[in-house]
Amino acid sequence: MSGPIRVVLADDHAVMRAGFRMILESEDDILVVGEAGTGAEAVAAVSAHRPDVVCMDVQMPDMDGLEATRRLTSDPAVTASVVIVTTFDRDDYLFQALAAGASGFLLKNAGPEELITAVRVAAAGDALLAPAVTKRVIERFAAAEGTPATATPPGAGVSSPAPPSLPVDLTDRETEVLRLLAAALSNAEIAQELYIGEATVKTHVSNVLQKLGARDRVAAVVYAHRHGLA
């Protein structure tokens, strides 16, 4: 990015927002450009400040963070990634956050470095792919949408399953990259797996997102699970 990562903080507790601001603005590459105490204020703040990342609480008055996330991610004029930051370690919140289009999920008891990392990762479009809990919930989300059953491991059956039919024109290499994204690999890990440069991986990921019409990597992973690539 050419400038600092622009962040909007949405939380109904002013003390929590002040703490997040202090942590994030201790870094030279992060700038908090707005705050909100309700979901509706969060939507308005994003419209006013055009941030790169929104740190969004779940339980807020007026409109909860999940509904605010849905409104933001469904607006084509909004390019910000949403990181849900909540006190509650609940699968249903994580599930609903991904369904709403969030690109990250963090608990408030996480350390300062984890918050900073989450913002940077979300700004890079690379959020929430590594943790095991994310993979589990993405699989659950995909299953709820009618994903084909997980393929039988090699050697476990007499015949191999038929390759999935993709409704978009991905190249063979792009399909490989999408499959590895679905396995929660980072760009560096994909580069190592395919023996190509990390810059080349970034180009393939960008092409995959564009062809899928996917907002971010999380949406691409969900797509892969839906179409039997996981």
Side-chain angles (χ1 to χ4, degrees):
M1 301 178 65
S2 58
I5 300 169
R6 295 166 55 84
V7 178
V8 162
L9 302 175
D11 195 294
D12 60 336
H13 292 94
V15 172
M16 189 65 68
R17 297 198 306 270
F20 287 169
R21 177 184 283 272
M22 182 177 66
I23 291 168
L24 294 175
E25 291 196 334
S26 68
E27 302 297 310
D28 293 337
D29 62 334
I30 301 176
L31 177 65
V32 176
V33 295
E35 296 186 18
T38 72
E41 288 178 3
V43 173
V46 170
S47 177
H49 299 291
R50 302 292 180 184
D52 303 300
V53 177
V54 183
C55 293
M56 184 82 75
D57 190 14
V58 173
Q59 293 189 353
M60 292 187 291
D62 193 12
M63 178 194 302
D64 68 31
L66 297 174
E67 177 58 28
T69 298
R70 291 186 195 98
R71 296 195 184 192
L72 292 175
T73 59
S74 64
D75 184 348
V78 174
T79 58
S81 297
V82 178
V83 176
I84 297 294
V85 187
T86 179
T87 305
F88 304 99
D89 186 8
R90 290 171 40 175
D91 272 3
D92 58 338
Y93 278 173
L94 181 51
F95 178 82
Q96 291 177 61
L98 287 178
S103 298
F105 189 94
L106 192 68
L107 295 177
K108 288 182 179 178
N109 62 3
E113 287 301 323
E114 291 180 79
L115 176 63
I116 293 166
T117 298
V119 167
R120 287 175 175 156
V121 169
D126 209 7
L128 259 168
L129 293 181
V133 64
T134 301
K135 187 165 184 262
R136 183 182 77 243
V137 176
I138 287 174
E139 288 172 349
R140 185 174 148 203
F141 173 69
E145 295 293 328
T147 302
T150 303
T152 304
V158 176
S159 59
S160 300
S165 175
L166 296 175
V168 294
D169 185 24
L170 296 179
T171 66
D172 290 343
R173 178 63 88 187
E174 289 165 354
T175 301
E176 284 183 289
V177 169
L178 179 56
R179 191 188 302 276
L180 294 174
L181 284 178
L185 271 64
S186 66
N187 284 352
E189 291 168 333
I190 293 173
Q192 184 176 14
E193 181 75 17
L194 298 180
Y195 301 101
I196 58 179
E198 193 169 345
T200 302
V201 172
K202 291 180 180 179
T203 298
H204 285 315
V205 170
S206 178
N207 290 339
V208 167
L209 296 182
Q210 182 179 14
K211 288 184 178 182
L212 298 184
R215 179 183 179 87
D216 54 27
R217 292 164 69 106
V218 171
V221 170
V222 170
Y223 180 98
H225 279 270
R226 284 177 175 170
H227 293 87
L229 283 174

